[in-house]
Amino acid sequence: MSVSIYNTLTRQKEALVPETDTFRMYCCGPTVYGPAHIGNFRTFLVQDALRRTLECSGVKVAHVRNITDVDDKTIRESRKLGIPLAEFTKKWEDKFHLDCDRLNMLRPTVEPRATEHIAEQLDMVSKLVENGHAYAAKDGSVYFKISSFENYGKLSGIDREHMATQALNSAGEANVADEYERENVSDFALWKGRKPEDGENFWKSPWGEGRPGWHIECSAMSKKYLGDTFDLHGGGIDLCFPHHENEIAQSESATGKSPCVRYWFHSAHLMVEGQKMSKSLGNLYTLDDLLKRGYTCAQIRYALLSGHYRQQLNFTFKGLDDAKSALAKLSKGIGGALERAGMDFGDFQKEAVSPLGRFGGTIFEPAWNALCDDLNIPRALGEIFAALPKLDGNRRDISALGSLMYALGIDLGGEPQAYETEADVPEEVSKLAQMRWEAKKNRDFASADELRKRVSELGWTILDGKDGFKIKKS
Ligand code: AMP
Ligand code: ZN
């Protein structure tokens, strides 16, 4: 069964068919000037779930996600602190990676940084100047001329005639800010001439010293790693205009190939308790904020993925509590089935880390179908819970559920509270289990197996998690 999503470009649901043997997807990554918030993570998690679902359907995926490590914000904040830009952004990039790992997100195949691709960006800007789609201004900046690109507006549906009259703003200036409002459509900066507030952050170019505009990095890096045309491009809905519209204009004008991207995948924003998330309202949460309140990474991932990607997600603390009980219910259902099948949790985890799903004829087929149908995660979760009471020791069903856990990135091993561990584990058993864990960590699998057997002979079962194990009466 193929996976379909709603394509913003064609305004319809379409099956995702790769152009080559690999599905090539590019997602706009974080601007690394502070910790990412849970809204950012909603978008990145939806993209992670799409990639995992594609992999489960048997498709090989190349996933590129950039790091924006130079823009107005990163420069401003690093200068405020008096730290070199690269040092400042590295710190926030590392923090982003830590959070992504904790949320069980797959690392992208390539994660290019904007500052390491200045040459590629300059190449593209030069090409656009040469072929008449861009022009240099007196201050050493280069602008894309939107009136030169006939299809400008095809993604967001913006009115082209209206825009053409506003190529320059009311003061007769072209637009220099990285982000601008829908009302202020104008030619946008591909290259920004050096300004005093840029400090030491500038590079040489044919138009003098300066730095790239924000939009060009995605066009240049997607072209480098995925080619002139590729399959899918993703981002939060706020990026549809102007960022993605500008990317299309740049890429298609530079290469002459259209469409540069066949499927555009946008996710709706996250709201908090019904309100827009903002620092001033005191409702802007990072992953750490929620962990401090005692929630686990798995619960947070589950809650952030529990709504449909095309609808705004209303994040609430009740939603996190619901995630906690849903995960406990899942663990319990799986635990019981494994016992009946004579499998241990390690066997199940193997399914949950293998992307090849076989769902046909299993009780989880409806859940899989829901995922394939416009990545309908809430419906898939509903179908999983509807089927769970029917889950006995049937290995095919267990395996299908393992693959669904892979697609959703639900790591039940990371949920130690999900197992009801007997308090009175005999000392001998607990010692053997500890020795086994050490052997396993040292990759001495023969001893680990032997020790597990001895624990089992004493009437106990070891359940492995990511960072430890639990012991349960057999
Ligand atoms: P940024 O680091 O600001 O470039 O944003 C990274 C990603 O998060 C982009 O795809 C944005 O569209 C997305 N994003 C920003 N705010 C939210 C939000 N409240 N809900 C969902 N996604 C968001
Ligand atoms: Zn981008």
Side-chain angles (χ1 to χ4, degrees):
M1 176 129 189
S2 59
V3 182
S4 69
I5 56 120
Y6 178 84
N7 184 356
T8 313
L9 184 64
T10 57
R11 290 150 180 74
Q12 62 189 15
K13 204 159 73 178
E14 286 173 16
L16 298 176
V17 184
E19 205 172 37
T20 62
D21 60 350
T22 302
F23 190 85
R24 292 163 298 158
M25 66 187 259
Y26 183 94
C27 301
C28 294
T31 307
V32 281
Y33 70 104
H37 55 62
I38 55 171
N40 302 133
F41 282 121
R42 177 200 198 194
T43 291
F44 296 133
L45 281 167
V46 161
Q47 293 159 352
D48 182 63
L50 176 66
R51 168 180 167 184
R52 286 166 169 276
T53 302
L54 281 162
E55 287 179 351
C56 260
S57 77
V59 172
K60 199 169 147 226
V61 180
H63 175 198
V64 179
R65 188 180 64 209
N66 65 305
I67 299 271
T68 299
D69 60 352
V70 55
D71 80 326
D72 297 349
K73 285 184 285 208
T74 45
I75 291 177
R76 191 174 56 230
E77 294 305 311
S78 69
R79 281 177 48 84
K80 242 192 233 164
L81 295 171
I83 302 173
L85 180 67
E87 194 183 310
F88 172 78
T89 54
K90 180 72 174 57
K91 174 185 152 191
W92 290 115
E93 182 188 316
D94 289 347
K95 170 67 177 147
F96 176 69
H97 285 149
L98 172 71
D99 286 357
C100 288
D101 290 346
R102 293 198 293 191
L103 287 169
N104 199 27
M105 284 161 60
L106 299 172
R107 288 276 180 112
T109 325
V110 191
E111 215 173 1
R113 297 186 188 95
T115 54
E116 289 171 0
H117 295 79
I118 300 293
E120 288 82 351
Q121 298 176 69
L122 281 172
D123 268 0
M124 196 173 252
V125 179
S126 299
K127 182 95 211 198
L128 290 168
V129 172
E130 272 163 36
N131 65 17
H133 286 285
Y135 56 92
K138 278 200 209 94
D139 67 346
S141 299
V142 180
Y143 295 96
F144 186 88
K145 192 168 158 189
I146 53 173
S147 60
S148 77
F149 185 63
E150 204 186 331
N151 281 327
Y152 196 88
K154 70 174 170 180
L155 179 69
S156 56
I158 196 154
D159 167 8
R160 194 171 170 270
E161 262 181 33
H162 174 68
M163 292 172 333
T165 59
Q166 296 194 13
L168 297 181
N169 69 18
S170 49
E173 298 158 338
N175 203 303
V176 288
D178 282 333
E179 287 161 86
Y180 52 92
E181 299 300 321
R182 205 184 178 98
E183 289 74 30
N184 297 335
V185 180
S186 65
D187 289 1
F188 58 90
L190 297 167
W191 184 260
K192 298 173 158 199
R194 183 178 166 192
K195 289 222 182 83
E197 57 267 34
D198 290 338
E200 293 310 300
N201 305 301
F202 61 87
W203 289 265
K204 287 202 172 81
S205 88
W207 311 279
E209 289 164 343
R211 61 180 170 101
W214 170 40
H215 312 293
I216 195 76
E217 70 176 87
C218 288
S219 285
M221 296 194 288
S222 62
K223 174 178 155 61
K224 172 164 183 179
Y225 293 102
L226 298 175
D228 290 353
T229 63
F230 54 94
D231 298 303
L232 179 137
H233 195 315
I237 191 71
D238 57 310
L239 298 189
C240 181
F241 184 86
H243 184 52
H244 290 161
E245 200 69 67
N246 291 351
E247 273 190 52
I248 293 177
Q250 295 163 158
S251 296
E252 298 190 0
S253 301
T255 67
K257 294 184 191 152
S258 175
C260 55
V261 175
R262 287 180 305 136
Y263 311 107
W264 285 87
F265 179 62
H266 288 112
S267 31
H269 267 200
L270 173 133
M271 312 288 282
V272 172
E273 308 277 357
Q275 283 179 302
K276 200 171 164 190
M277 196 168 50
S278 81
K279 263 197 186 132
S280 57
L281 286 174
N283 66 358
L284 192 143
Y285 296 110
T286 63
L287 181 59
D288 286 344
D289 293 335
L290 301 181
L291 293 175
K292 271 185 215 138
R293 290 178 181 231
Y295 294 101
T296 67
C297 295
Q299 289 157 8
I300 297 163
R301 178 179 174 110
Y302 189 102
L304 292 178
L305 275 179
S306 61
H308 193 276
Y309 78 89
R310 277 207 276 147
Q311 273 152 20
Q312 284 190 344
L313 177 74
N314 187 24
F315 175 84
T316 62
F317 285 95
K318 163 140 192 334
L320 273 179
D321 294 333
D322 292 346
K324 183 175 177 175
S325 23
L327 285 167
K329 215 163 132 189
L330 264 177
S331 295
K332 210 165 176 179
I334 291 165
L338 291 175
E339 243 168 55
R340 284 191 287 274
M343 287 167 72
D344 66 25
F345 193 73
D347 298 327
F348 177 75
Q349 283 292 77
K350 275 188 220 136
E351 303 283 352
V353 294
S354 106
L356 259 197
R358 290 190 185 83
F359 302 98
T362 71
I363 57 171
F364 294 108
E365 198 175 357
W368 172 244
N369 291 344
L371 273 188
C372 291
D373 181 10
D374 199 19
L375 198 68
N376 196 331
I377 296 178
R379 207 174 88 216
L381 289 169
E383 295 288 3
I384 290 174
F385 284 108
L388 209 55
K390 289 180 260 171
L391 181 65
D392 51 23
N394 183 316
R395 288 197 173 220
R396 289 193 59 218
D397 288 337
I398 291 174
S399 160
L401 184 57
S403 290
L404 282 170
M405 295 299 101
Y406 177 84
L408 295 166
I410 296 178
D411 179 8
L412 293 168
E415 290 296 291
Q417 79 278 20
Y419 307 108
E420 286 146 285
T421 304
E422 256 89 352
D424 49 354
V425 182
E427 211 185 307
E428 190 192 355
V429 172
S430 124
K431 232 186 196 153
L432 287 169
Q434 187 59 42
M435 281 162 65
R436 180 201 155 264
W437 179 254
E438 293 301 326
K440 189 179 154 200
K441 266 202 332 210
N442 295 329
R443 307 187 67 78
D444 176 3
F445 298 115
S447 309
D449 279 352
E450 184 53 37
L451 287 160
R452 179 197 278 279
K453 226 157 89 199
R454 280 170 65 192
V455 169
S456 158
E457 279 158 15
L458 292 168
W460 296 81
T461 302
I462 300 173
L463 300 169
D464 281 338
K466 206 156 60 181
D467 309 313
F469 61 90
K470 289 267 167 188
I471 312 168
K472 205 170 168 281
K473 207 153 205 152
S474 303

